[in-house]
Amino acid sequence: MYKRLKTLASIGLLVSSLSLLMDSAVAQTAGIVVNTTADDINAGDGNCTLGEAINNANRNRDTTNGDCRTGSPHPTIDAIAFNIQSIQPSIILNSPLPTITEAVVIDGTSQPGFQTTRTHSLTCPNPSGVPLPAQRITISRPVIELNGAAAGKVSGITIDADQVIIRGLVINRFQRSGIEILNNSSHIIIDSNYIGTDISGTVALGNNKGVVIEAGKTTNPNNTIIKNNVISGNQFLGILLKGDANADQQGNTIVNNFIGTDYTGKEVLGNTTEKGGHGVVIGNGNFAPLDSRYPAQNHTIRGNVIAGSHRTNVWLSNYASNNLVECNYIGTDYTGTVALGNCIDGFLIGGTRSDAPSRLNKVRYNLISGNARCQGNTEANLTLQWGAIENTIENNLIGTDITGTVALSPILSTDGIGIKKPANQIRNNVIGGNRRHGIHIYRGFGTQPWDNRIENNYIGINPSGINIANGGDGIAIFSNIYTPGTVLPLMDVLIRGTRITGNAIANNGHNGIRLEARGDEAGFNASITNTQILNNIIHHNGANGIQITTMETVPGGMADAIDNFIQRNSLFDNKYLGISLIQNRSTSHDIFWNTENLPF
């Protein structure tokens, strides 16, 4: 536990140190004051526009015949402040602002009327130990608006430089991104902005995308911090961190933001269209050419509220590896007690291709609940799909509220965790209150799921023994062939080597654990083999403690469940049998040293 706390503290210290370093630069800046909402560049007219101020900072000289104070040569960093005499200063752009090409601070907090209103505290759940330090989200009320409705197909602010701070702005209605950070940029801070909403922070006026960090072929855009923003109402996505050709150890940090909610953190604005609609995406998603193989790695997503997206709230997509996602509320409001959710997957690891691995990511200490609210889908609060291998999911609350005692997903999420790929570790989580299964392993594209580890979780019950039932099975492992009429290729399906150890599985609507192989396509074989079910406590489930089923549903369809190993489990007070075998062909399993139907 000490090591865990130390790791979390060191990450926080890194973010704080970089923030202090860049903030200290503000005190050493040469000031430029924007005094008008006009967007023209008309040197000598007595007005300093934002475009003129950026030009001066870029060129380190006065390009305005005295309208704006002269930009200062590096290493002095120019600070662009605001003093616009207007009750609601809105800069309506009819053309793009100049790209930022040198270090600068654009400080909307300098405009009279800016306020810092409230700080919200987020508890970091830790079902297996001492609670971690709380995260704090500070939300402001900016008053300077950049309106891109008439600017054309451009981004609001484009950065191609190091050491840039964008603070205290409202950025909306741009056809590209609110803020776009190009390949050669690093050490950027995006702080206390509203990106995709109106000035009140309650109405969606989306950009196409909120904040985008572009991929780099020869350079790695890194050390960017996106903090204390409201990034909501955007059409395609809130934040996108693309991949990169390099493998630098320091990535970018998304910390303490409201993403998809209004400024209160309690109402949904979303980042949502049916064709897009993602909250945070790391990796290329399906937005880049198939030959794009830049890894997206070493990024941190911490202490955010991420909810209300149409498709996914968080997506670690193609080639997203070695990323850390911790202490977020994904699918709820900032209190962790109200489901705000999304339509399809709450949290998705894996891309559109099985040959584009999303691996070695750590997802821990999060609340992931209330997602997948569109009835009829087969998704989950958290899905590991094509390409998701060797990821660790630990110490999360999945399907409950922040207390771990109340179900938030019984009529929403299909499954707690859905797994379509191999070699992932699911451990020390509380998984309850989901509409269907707690954990669901099933066939996806390409190679089949194998060697997954499900260890020391509470499924349908919390560590204090409180009932937080899932509607279906506690753990369901299904091997089946997809039926005709789908676009999926037909193939044999083998799910092997799943290890289920040390879990408490109770109160679920059907079985505690179900292994089911279905031969539902002639000429193809569905198989579950070498499953190890060891040292689990399985009780008070609505059907059997453990059920193993094979069924051949069409002539010529083949199914088998063989060589599964069930040992030293405690099974009691399940509605039917402790262990049930329903098989239509001769199979063999090792079943011994289990205690069945004993009192608790």
Side-chain angles (χ1 to χ4, degrees), residues 407-418:
L408 285 189
S409 305
I411 61 172
L412 300 171
S413 308
T414 300
D415 298 316
I417 300 177

Side-chain angles (χ1 to χ4, degrees), residues 24-42:
S24 67
V26 177
Q28 304 172 23
T29 58
I32 302 172
V33 179
V34 174
N35 60 9
T36 179
T37 60
D39 82 323
D40 59 335
I41 296 177
N42 187 8

Side-chain angles (χ1 to χ4, degrees), residues 454-471:
I454 302 172
E455 302 172 343
N456 302 320
N457 301 281
Y458 290 86
I459 303 172
I461 188 172
N462 80 353
S464 299
I466 294 174
N467 182 337
I468 45 170
N470 299 289

Side-chain angles (χ1 to χ4, degrees), residues 16-226:
S16 298
S17 297
L18 182 56
S19 298
L20 289 172
L21 176 64
M22 293 189 67
D23 286 352
S24 67
V26 177
Q28 304 172 23
T29 58
I32 302 172
V33 179
V34 174
N35 60 9
T36 179
T37 60
D39 82 323
D40 59 335
I41 296 177
N42 187 8
D45 67 356
N47 292 318
C48 180
T49 68
L50 180 56
E52 289 175 324
I54 293 172
N55 273 337
N56 277 8
N58 286 341
R59 299 176 186 179
N60 296 318
R61 62 184 178 83
D62 183 10
T63 64
T64 63
N65 292 336
D67 292 345
C68 297
R69 183 175 296 180
T70 305
S72 300
H74 199 71
T76 301
I77 298 176
D78 290 296
I80 298 175
F82 295 84
N83 187 14
I84 299 173
Q85 301 303 307
S86 174
I87 296 174
Q88 186 171 315
S90 180
I91 300 173
I92 301 173
L93 296 171
N94 294 300
S95 58
L97 289 169
T99 296
I100 295 170
T101 58
E102 190 163 297
V104 70
V105 178
I106 300 181
D107 188 6
T109 71
S110 59
Q111 173 67 26
F114 177 90
Q115 299 176 32
T116 298
T117 56
R118 64 186 71 187
T119 297
H120 304 281
S121 180
L122 268 60
T123 299
C124 294
N126 184 13
S128 67
V130 177
L132 297 166
Q135 293 294 306
R136 298 189 182 280
I137 302 175
T138 300
I139 297 299
S140 303
R141 302 303 302 271
V143 292
I144 295 288
E145 178 185 44
L146 300 186
N147 178 342
K153 196 170 183 178
V154 300
S155 294
I157 293 177
T158 303
I159 301 171
D160 194 9
D162 295 339
Q163 297 186 11
V164 175
I165 299 176
I166 308 297
R167 175 186 289 143
L169 301 176
V170 178
I171 306 173
N172 56 43
R173 290 173 276 193
F174 286 91
Q175 293 183 35
R176 284 176 58 88
S177 303
I179 298 176
E180 185 172 6
I181 301 172
L182 301 182
N183 300 349
N184 296 317
S185 308
S186 64
H187 297 90
I188 311 298
I189 292 180
I190 309 299
D191 179 18
S192 300
N193 303 283
Y194 290 3
I195 302 174
T197 78
D198 71 341
I199 286 178
S200 75
T202 63
V203 177
L205 294 175
N207 308 288
N208 181 263
K209 302 178 183 72
V211 179
V212 173
I213 299 181
E214 294 289 349
K217 294 181 179 180
T218 58
T219 59
N220 190 3
N222 59 23
N223 288 295
T224 288
I225 299 173
I226 302 171

Side-chain angles (χ1 to χ4, degrees), residues 326-546:
E326 64 181 5
C327 298
N328 302 281
Y329 290 7
I330 301 172
T332 77
D333 72 343
Y334 85 87
T335 71
T337 62
V338 177
L340 299 181
N342 73 326
C343 186
I344 305 180
D345 294 291
F347 192 133
L348 180 62
I349 303 178
T352 53
R353 300 152 50 202
S354 60
D355 65 341
S358 304
R359 60 195 301 264
L360 300 174
N361 297 290
K362 291 186 178 180
V363 180
R364 63 190 187 186
Y365 314 128
N366 301 282
L367 172 64
I368 309 173
S369 295
N371 299 288
R373 67 172 180 256
C374 296
Q375 299 298 305
N377 67 70
T378 58
E379 309 307 336
N381 268 310
L382 190 156
T383 297
L384 298 159
Q385 73 162 10
W386 316 304
I389 61 173
E390 300 175 312
N391 298 285
T392 300
I393 314 298
E394 61 184 352
N395 292 300
N396 302 283
L397 297 176
I398 300 175
T400 75
D401 72 348
I402 191 59
T403 69
T405 63
V406 176
L408 285 189
S409 305
I411 61 172
L412 300 171
S413 308
T414 300
D415 298 316
I417 300 177
I419 304 174
K420 301 179 184 179
K421 292 300 290 184
N424 296 287
Q425 290 191 328
I426 314 296
R427 63 191 183 196
N428 300 323
N429 302 282
V430 172
I431 305 169
N434 299 286
R435 180 163 58 94
R436 196 164 64 171
H437 310 304
I439 298 175
H440 185 191
I441 299 178
Y442 53 107
R443 180 208 175 196
F445 285 131
T447 58
Q448 290 73 42
W450 53 274
D451 288 350
N452 289 292
R453 300 288 185 263
I454 302 172
E455 302 172 343
N456 302 320
N457 301 281
Y458 290 86
I459 303 172
I461 188 172
N462 80 353
S464 299
I466 294 174
N467 182 337
I468 45 170
N470 299 289
D473 301 309
I475 299 173
I477 302 177
F478 293 156
S479 178
N480 67 290
I481 313 300
Y482 283 95
T483 55
T486 70
V487 297
L488 304 179
L490 295 173
M491 63 180 70
D492 291 340
V493 177
L494 170 63
I495 298 178
R496 70 176 187 210
T498 307
R499 183 177 176 89
I500 303 171
T501 62
N503 302 280
I505 306 171
N507 308 312
N508 299 288
H510 295 158
N511 304 283
I513 298 172
R514 175 162 52 143
L515 312 184
E516 182 173 304
R518 294 175 47 184
D520 53 13
E521 187 68 36
F524 294 90
N525 185 60
S527 179
I528 298 175
T529 184
N530 298 115
T531 308
Q532 298 183 54
I533 303 175
L534 309 173
N535 299 311
N536 301 282
I537 300 174
I538 305 171
H539 63 92
H540 289 97
N541 295 287
N544 304 292
I546 299 171

Side-chain angles (χ1 to χ4, degrees), residues 295-340:
Q297 56 191 359
N298 302 313
H299 304 299
T300 298
I301 304 173
R302 178 163 50 83
N304 304 280
V305 174
I306 310 173
S309 305
H310 178 78
R311 297 186 66 85
T312 58
N313 284 320
V314 178
W315 184 11
L316 305 184
S317 66
N318 294 336
Y319 301 109
S321 299
N322 293 289
N323 298 291
L324 176 63
V325 182
E326 64 181 5
C327 298
N328 302 281
Y329 290 7
I330 301 172
T332 77
D333 72 343
Y334 85 87
T335 71
T337 62
V338 177
L340 299 181

